[in-house]
Amino acid sequence: MSSPEPTTVTASVLHAAKDLRVVPVSLPPPPADELQIAIRSTTLCGSDLHYYNHYRNGDILVTSPLALGHESSGIVTAVGASAAAAGWVVGDRVALEVGLPCESCPRCLEGRYNICAGMRFRSSAKAVPHFWGTLQQRINHPAKWCHKLPAAMPFALASLLEPLSVALHTIRRSAIQPGQTVLVVGAGAVGLLVAAAAHLAGASRVLIADINAGRVAFAVEQGWATHAYTVPMTPRPEQPPSVADKLAASKASADAMCAAVNAPAGVDIVFECTGVEPCVQASIYAARAGGTVMLVGMGTPVQTLPISAAALREVDIRGGFRYANCYPQGVELIASGRLQGLEKLVTQRFFGMEAVGEAFEMAGRQTDEQGRLVIKVEVVFGEEEAKL
């Protein structure tokens, strides 16, 4: 049960672009339906990196100090009364699902709580006051949105349940069928996990494309993709290209990607994981007639797209935003051992609250000082520091 008195914990708090400070924070006992959790692992996300670098994420501005982090796992250190009655105990190992929906709107009631208009998401500045993230020594969090972990599951893998859930959600939204051919555009952490999830869902051919040859090779090495395509970098033209020139270049890129997987008529499903305009354009061209484009990446909010190339061929364009009801599937998938190589996604580790700034600087790089790929950077806290 919880202690009646607040305690003081430390948190890494962003006060301006690249201005992280470790500060003391008063933490009350957990309310009746919440757990107090000692954070053991947080892997860094691209959205948090945007906040760190710019004190904003697209159109969302940070208006007051904000603790970042939302891909996290830890150990229960205190339990609210009703959570205790539901079977939670101190020492439970958990992964945190950090979005808290209203639970009463039509979208929540139909199970699509990820698109709840009242969603409060840790480390996002969208809600005011901001909902602080998990780069804190301990936090209180509703027991309903905590997921128990098997004793043998490493905390690093548990933290990856958050981006894995993004991948599982978009795979579910795509209605993928066994034997289909898919293209994943963008080999960031989410794109890599989408490729892995598509493979596990029965796709016979999985092509992953990116400008970074190391990342697409990594996907093939792990068995998550069957084919890799490195998108060539073209020199910047002296004059700004016309819309027609841009679309022609995107069509040529789509043709090249489809050729790499021997799909001249297009692929069944394209998972666009960058949000970059030329990539979204190419994704529409790369889908076969009657195929599907899944918009996963969050990029340029207003884009020029070849809509006729979709409409006249009945190419479905679907959004995939975060996740809903995916964590249990992710826990089972990791625990079963079916998702091989997941631990290799964490390529660099930093230890302790004082190292969070260094971790963010590393997360913004393509390779580290030894020339190794940077894919996922983990910050490790507490007792786990002594084990690694």
Side-chain angles (χ1 to χ4, degrees):
M1 300 295 289
S2 59
S3 164
E5 298 297 329
T7 57
T8 298
V9 299
T10 57
S12 178
V13 180
L14 189 68
H15 288 255
K18 298 194 174 186
D19 180 9
L20 281 171
R21 307 175 196 175
V22 177
V23 300
V25 177
S26 179
L27 181 67
D33 61 348
E34 295 193 6
L35 308 174
Q36 190 165 110
I37 298 150
I39 302 299
R40 289 289 182 254
S41 166
T42 295
T43 50
L44 302 184
C45 174
S47 63
D48 284 332
L49 183 60
H50 279 291
Y51 283 125
Y52 172 75
N53 282 327
H54 308 293
Y55 211 50
R56 64 187 296 164
N57 187 8
D59 294 334
I60 303 174
L61 304 178
V62 182
T63 59
S64 61
L66 175 66
L68 301 174
H70 59 264
E71 301 177 2
S72 296
S73 58
I75 298 175
V76 174
T77 58
V79 183
S82 60
W88 289 96
V89 298
V90 170
D92 280 340
R93 299 161 60 90
V94 297
L96 284 79
E97 186 170 351
V98 297
L100 304 186
C102 75
E103 303 188 50
S104 61
C105 71
R107 300 293 76 76
C108 284
L109 295 177
E110 69 184 11
R112 301 180 71 183
Y113 59 82
N114 57 308
I115 51 175
C116 168
M119 172 71 77
R120 297 175 65 242
F121 196 87
R122 284 191 183 273
S123 80
S124 171
K126 185 175 182 180
V128 179
H130 303 329
F131 192 16
W132 275 24
T134 55
L135 286 170
Q136 305 181 62
Q137 187 180 12
R138 296 200 300 276
I139 63 170
N140 293 333
H141 199 69
K144 178 176 182 177
W145 302 108
C146 296
H147 300 272
K148 289 185 180 180
L149 303 172
M153 184 179 293
F155 285 117
L157 295 190
S159 294
L160 292 175
L161 280 164
E162 203 275 346
L164 177 59
S165 291
V166 174
L168 294 174
H169 178 71
T170 197
I171 291 292
R172 186 183 299 167
R173 290 270 295 150
S174 75
I176 190 172
Q177 298 298 312
Q180 288 189 317
T181 297
V182 306
L183 164 62
V184 180
V185 180
V190 168
L192 290 166
L193 290 170
V194 167
H199 175 74
L200 289 172
S204 61
R205 292 181 294 174
V206 179
L207 168 66
I208 189 163
D210 197 279
I211 60 174
N212 187 315
R215 285 175 175 265
V216 296
F218 176 87
V220 174
E221 290 165 5
Q222 307 315 311
W224 299 347
T226 57
H227 297 71
Y229 179 76
T230 303
V231 180
M233 294 292 290
T234 56
R236 187 182 297 274
E238 294 182 4
Q239 298 296 326
S242 66
V243 170
D245 289 339
K246 291 180 180 178
L247 292 176
S250 295
K251 179 64 166 62
S253 181
D255 291 343
M257 289 187 286
C258 289
V261 74
N262 193 26
V267 301
D268 297 298
I269 305 172
V270 183
F271 296 95
E272 203 300 305
C273 299
T274 72
V276 177
E277 182 179 80
C279 296
V280 182
Q281 294 169 346
S283 295
I284 292 173
Y285 288 127
R288 65 164 172 82
T292 300
V293 175
M294 289 298 308
L295 301 180
V296 187
M298 302 295 290
T300 309
V302 179
Q303 303 187 13
T304 298
L305 303 177
I307 291 300
S308 291
L312 298 180
R313 299 184 302 126
E314 295 192 354
V315 172
D316 292 338
I317 300 176
R318 302 178 187 172
F321 183 62
R322 291 180 182 154
Y323 40 80
N325 307 301
C326 292
Y327 266 68
Q329 180 187 0
V331 171
E332 189 280 328
L333 192 60
I334 294 174
S336 70
R338 292 176 57 213
L339 183 51
Q340 293 292 313
L342 183 62
E343 70 283 354
K344 296 179 183 177
L345 205 64
V346 176
T347 49
Q348 286 81 23
R349 285 189 170 92
F350 291 81
F351 302 94
M353 205 68 70
E354 297 286 350
V356 171
E358 293 178 72
F360 272 112
E361 291 294 328
M362 180 61 71
R365 300 176 57 170
Q366 294 292 317
T367 58
D368 63 15
E369 291 84 354
Q370 288 75 41
R372 298 173 299 191
L373 277 176
V374 177
I375 301 178
K376 267 294 180 188
V377 175
E378 180 193 16
V379 185
V380 180
F381 301 99
E383 295 174 3
E384 293 305 299
E385 295 177 45
K387 299 178 181 179
L388 295 168

